[in-house]
Amino acid sequence: MRKLDHNAHSAFLLYYHLVLVVKYRRDVFDDTVSDRAREIFSYIAPRYGIEVDEWNHDGDHIHAMFRAQPKSELRKFINAYKSASSRLLKKEFPEIRKKLWKETFWSQSFCLITAGGAPIEVIREYIETQGEKDGKE
């Protein structure tokens, strides 16, 4: 199990799974474009207290697993990333523009799922048994 992250006043372990989809599911990602998209993510992330752990792609979307801090503004980070990556990827890979609809790179929506240590049922059982001694009430 990974050690907890911490700051001056708290300990935490906040993992998230982010899925971003290209508008109209256009196939724009290959390994080279995905690698550059990850570089952009890794460049912006520290400003928001975020660190990428895993990254992968399919032709029309990316998956990122990252760690964040309690103060991280996830929505602002995701919007900053989508804006910067859209601009830079279209500039650096002009062939992408031919595959897009009206210059829009990312779908407006995204999927963000919390991911972390123990399964929910294990945590639920742990909380339910608090205050019991030797398993008896």
Side-chain angles (χ1 to χ4, degrees):
M1 182 171 158
R2 178 173 160 68
K3 291 183 179 182
L4 296 175
D5 294 322
H6 64 283
N7 60 26
H9 302 288
S10 58
F12 48 89
L13 185 58
L14 302 173
Y15 275 95
Y16 294 91
H17 175 193
L18 175 65
V19 181
L20 295 177
V21 178
V22 177
K23 184 81 168 185
Y24 301 118
R25 292 260 201 206
R26 306 292 183 162
D27 281 341
V28 299
F29 285 105
D30 59 17
D31 289 343
T32 304
V33 175
S34 176
D35 289 346
R36 180 62 178 128
R38 182 181 178 152
E39 287 175 7
I40 297 165
F41 192 100
S42 297
Y43 178 78
I44 295 171
R47 298 177 193 163
Y48 293 87
I50 291 171
E51 185 177 330
V52 65
D53 274 3
E54 294 290 333
W55 184 278
N56 211 336
H57 72 280
D58 205 344
D60 61 357
H61 65 278
I62 60 100
H63 289 266
M65 183 175 346
F66 62 89
R67 291 191 325 272
Q69 298 176 8
K71 68 176 184 173
S72 297
E73 296 180 275
L74 299 179
R75 178 76 178 165
K76 285 184 179 181
F77 165 71
I78 292 167
N79 286 339
Y81 172 70
K82 287 169 69 173
S83 177
S85 61
S86 174
R87 182 176 34 79
L88 291 170
L89 292 174
K90 288 186 293 186
K91 178 181 177 185
E92 296 172 18
F93 302 96
E95 65 275 12
I96 288 176
R97 289 180 184 276
K98 297 173 188 168
K99 299 177 181 181
L100 300 176
W101 176 258
K102 296 187 177 180
E103 296 288 317
T104 304
F105 190 93
W106 295 111
S107 170
Q108 190 173 13
S109 59
F110 60 87
C111 177
L112 182 65
I113 303 167
T114 57
I120 290 174
E121 287 306 315
V122 172
I123 296 169
R124 182 175 283 125
E125 183 179 324
Y126 174 77
I127 292 170
E128 287 173 354
T129 61
Q130 290 301 294
E132 299 175 10
K133 294 193 182 208
D134 300 323
K136 299 176 187 172
E137 287 189 8

